[in-house]
Amino acid sequence: MKNFSQWFHNILEEAEIIDSRYPIKGMNVWLPKGFKIRKYVLRELERLMDEDHDEILFPLLIPETELAKEGIHVKGFEEEVYWVTHGGMRELNEKLAIRPTSETAIYPMFALWIRSHIDLPIKIYQTVNTMRYETKHTRPLIRVREITTFTESHTVHEKYDEANDQVQEGIAIYKRFFDSLAIPYLIHDRPSWDKFPGADYTFAFDTLMKDGKTLQIATVHNLSDTFAKTFDIKYEATDGSHKYPYQTCYGLSDRVIASLIAIHGDEKGLVLPPLVAPIQIMIVPIVFKDKSEEILSKASEIKNILEKDGFRVNIDNRDIRPGKKYYDWELNGIPLRIDIGPRDLKDNKMIITRRDTSTKEECSLSEDFPSILNSYLTEINSNLKDKAWKFMREHISKIDSLDRIEKTVLNGNIGLIKWCGNDDCGKEIEEKTNLTILGIQYRIDGDCINCKRKAKHVISIAKTY
Ligand code: A5A
Ligand code: ZN
């Protein structure tokens, strides 16, 4: 897609996802249709998180002294923090930071809560808004200054190895989450210079947009005992000694919804995976003068049956041309449309149209049609998933000479190159190509593409958001 940026902007407006005209840069209004999609996305995420985490809710503001405690962390965020300095006319004794993320809000409380090894592990999460004064070009849902859908998890463990395992568990949860949304991803071990500020190491999920740029859609960090030491979080071990525990945190944002829209959408508008489609099936009665009542009552009969089976169904009985209705529901990405007109009524059938393939099928109303519709929804999900993964895989390209990187990547691909693992060399590659190293994908033999020393890793390189 040539003009992805324009397409993305238009679709957010036309499908009424958000209104970006709010008079503060980087802050947007969620409209009813967008909010419903967000709600179903969050519902799935929370279902997964709740299996092994407790949901909590922390305050929005962080005292300056707490935010400033962890040196590397605060350095990473200092340019991006919004400050509250006044209460009414009075200047506050201590400035309060609006959370850019919540480590420094949560960890002082961990210090109070954690006493003994029996208190561990702790696994919590919250969905909140956070604010970051982003200096790069802002874009609705993709890079915002108020992140409205920030789901962050924080865990505490006795042993470093347990924190390692938790990182893998976080990755496993996010895999299931993205799979259910049919969003493809690559998981990268971020290079040291691109880790979360204060983390021991960072794994990131990256997906590919249609213009060839990647988008980081989730991150999982091992914090080791760095924050525990800073915030004096200690537990009494079985042998009576006092030890610092190990921590992880992981999170994702509005970007999930951005990628959902961007990856599956097409020229006609949204294409929503059934799991998060606010309406999964739209019934369009094709009414004709004398038959209109009968058709409408058949439509609501079908609706009732489907609703009992748990589908999200609606009837479009607006007094407008069917063509206009089709246009609207395609734009809104409704997975299935049912048309029912006078002839269908006579034959006791309906016409089912799939949004993803535009194919039409007849379906008899004397059959078990809810299970037929259900299998269509399942097929739509797997088709969206296959298509999206195929697109991403077709745009990953092995590159073995430095001169070819820029051209290949700027042609819309993620490049795979061999790298020695040296920070200086890695930064040099980024400088020479003006691209971003996403991180390690897997280990290999061979020579570094740049310095020709022995390569340790295959890394991805891309144009990023
Ligand atoms: N506390 C940890 C989890 C944390 O804050 N990690 S993070 O800084 O990497 O942010 C988590 C995720 O939020 C990122 O992976 C990215 O997908 C998303 N994110 C970060 N800044 C964003 C912004 N300005 N707009 C939208 N999403 C953003
Ligand atoms: Zn090298």
Side-chain angles (χ1 to χ4, degrees):
M1 193 178 287
K2 275 256 143 56
N3 206 337
F4 167 78
S5 229
Q6 190 60 43
W7 173 87
F8 185 67
H9 191 271
N10 290 347
I11 202 171
L12 293 182
E13 186 176 315
E14 283 163 21
E16 297 169 24
I17 304 296
I18 57 143
D19 195 328
S20 58
R21 292 172 302 177
Y22 192 75
I24 301 180
K25 188 173 136 83
M27 301 187 191
N28 307 290
V29 182
W30 280 100
L31 296 171
K33 284 181 179 158
F35 196 87
K36 288 191 183 85
I37 298 170
R38 177 185 183 272
K39 181 171 78 177
Y40 290 111
V41 168
L42 271 178
R43 190 172 286 185
E44 174 64 6
L45 179 61
E46 285 164 4
R47 188 182 72 76
L48 293 170
M49 296 304 306
D50 288 342
E51 286 179 8
D52 194 32
H53 300 69
D54 291 312
E55 189 170 6
I56 44 99
L57 187 57
F58 265 74
L60 169 71
L61 299 177
I62 304 171
E64 184 181 20
T65 43
E66 298 298 339
L67 186 80
K69 265 185 190 161
E70 206 334 280
I72 304 173
H73 184 73
V74 70
K75 192 113 196 64
F77 282 105
E78 70 188 353
E79 303 272 325
E80 296 183 2
V81 176
Y82 281 88
W83 290 101
V84 175
T85 56
H86 286 75
M89 305 296 285
R90 286 172 74 170
E91 200 172 328
L92 301 175
N93 289 336
E94 180 174 21
K95 283 200 295 182
L96 303 171
I98 298 178
R99 63 182 159 219
T101 167
S102 303
E103 285 72 15
T104 58
I106 297 175
Y107 300 171
M109 299 306 288
F110 277 170
L112 300 175
W113 297 343
I114 296 166
R115 284 281 156 268
S116 136
H117 63 94
I118 324 172
D119 300 326
L120 302 177
I122 289 181
K123 301 183 192 186
I124 57 161
Y125 79 96
Q126 63 177 1
T127 299
V128 295
N129 48 356
T130 60
M131 293 182 66
R132 296 182 182 183
Y133 188 76
E134 294 280 356
T135 46
K136 278 199 197 171
H137 183 63
T138 58
R139 244 175 244 277
L141 302 179
I142 290 178
R143 175 166 283 104
V144 285
R145 286 182 171 172
E146 180 179 7
I147 310 175
T148 61
T149 319
F150 192 73
T151 299
E152 53 177 325
S153 305
H154 296 268
T155 73
V156 193
H157 310 267
E158 284 182 54
K159 301 265 149 49
Y160 183 76
D161 278 352
E162 289 166 17
N164 272 339
D165 292 346
Q166 189 61 35
V167 164
Q168 292 307 318
E169 193 181 316
I171 289 174
I173 294 170
Y174 287 169
K175 277 179 160 179
R176 284 167 69 198
F177 177 57
F178 290 124
D179 286 345
S180 72
L181 302 178
I183 296 174
Y185 47 81
L186 295 171
I187 301 168
H188 289 109
D189 186 353
R190 282 279 186 264
S192 62
W193 64 90
D194 199 17
K195 292 188 301 192
F196 180 68
D200 202 26
Y201 63 82
T202 291
F203 277 107
F205 283 70
D206 294 294
T207 192
L208 183 66
M209 299 285 102
K210 290 202 175 117
D211 58 356
K213 286 197 218 167
T214 60
L215 181 66
Q216 171 182 298
I217 46 173
T219 32
V220 184
H221 317 286
N222 188 329
L223 303 177
S224 189
D225 58 359
T226 307
F227 285 84
K229 285 176 173 157
T230 307
F231 289 93
D232 202 29
I233 305 171
K234 277 191 210 141
Y235 71 94
E236 190 177 323
T238 37
D239 62 6
S241 65
H242 290 265
K243 293 192 162 129
Y244 293 115
Y246 295 86
Q247 293 177 272
T248 81
C249 67
Y250 32 102
L252 28 72
S253 78
D254 308 69
R255 283 186 184 176
V256 173
I257 298 155
S259 52
L260 188 73
I261 292 168
I263 288 169
H264 304 310
D266 63 19
E267 297 298 345
K268 290 184 197 161
L270 298 180
V271 181
L272 294 174
L275 182 72
V276 296
I279 300 166
Q280 295 164 319
I281 303 167
M282 180 58 75
I283 305 172
V284 178
I286 317 287
V287 288
F288 277 97
K289 308 140 221 149
D290 55 330
K291 284 273 186 280
S292 69
E293 227 159 89
E294 262 178 275
I295 289 172
L296 284 174
S297 89
K298 193 62 169 181
S300 51
E301 190 188 317
I302 297 170
K303 177 173 184 265
N304 290 340
I305 293 172
L306 290 173
E307 272 179 343
K308 276 210 192 79
D309 276 19
F311 296 95
R312 296 193 286 268
V313 200
N314 221 336
I315 300 174
D316 185 355
N317 52 20
R318 290 179 298 170
D319 189 17
I320 52 172
R321 283 183 302 107
K324 168 73 174 118
K325 297 183 181 180
Y326 299 165
Y327 174 87
D328 282 354
W329 302 125
E330 280 172 349
L331 173 61
N332 282 278
I334 313 295
L336 291 174
R337 194 184 76 220
I338 292 175
D339 295 337
I340 178 151
R343 189 178 305 155
D344 304 311
L345 196 67
K346 195 167 112 278
D347 300 343
N348 198 36
K349 65 174 173 56
M350 57 186 177
I351 313 289
I352 301 169
T353 308
R354 274 172 67 161
R355 173 62 180 89
D356 63 329
T357 55
S358 301
T359 47
K360 285 185 178 11
E361 304 283 346
E362 283 190 1
C363 175
S364 166
L365 287 166
S366 48
E367 280 180 69
D368 175 11
F369 64 85
S371 71
I372 293 173
L373 288 167
N374 192 45
S375 61
Y376 278 130
L377 292 179
T378 312
E379 266 176 47
I380 290 173
N381 195 63
S382 61
N383 179 44
L384 292 183
K385 196 166 156 185
D386 292 347
K387 263 201 331 213
W389 275 95
K390 184 160 175 277
F391 176 83
M392 191 179 73
R393 288 204 178 103
E394 282 171 356
H395 290 85
I396 299 175
S397 182
K398 283 186 190 162
I399 309 171
D400 47 27
S401 127
L402 209 50
D403 327 319
R404 288 190 32 246
I405 296 183
E406 230 182 309
K407 190 154 175 285
T408 311
V409 172
L410 292 182
N411 257 334
N413 297 293
I414 297 171
L416 284 185
I417 59 177
K418 292 180 182 175
W419 175 49
C420 61
N422 256 289
D423 280 9
D424 286 342
C425 169
K427 287 180 194 162
E428 200 174 299
I429 296 174
E430 286 192 335
E431 256 159 47
K432 282 183 181 169
T433 59
N434 211 8
L435 300 167
T436 306
I437 289 180
L438 300 179
I440 299 166
Q441 271 210 43
Y442 48 81
R443 291 165 187 281
I444 43 94
D445 297 319
D447 301 325
C448 173
I449 193 170
N450 183 37
C451 69
K452 311 295 175 202
R453 278 179 285 188
K454 197 170 150 34
K456 278 196 198 138
H457 316 290
V458 168
I459 54 179
S460 310
I461 186 160
K463 189 113 188 122
T464 64
Y465 273 104

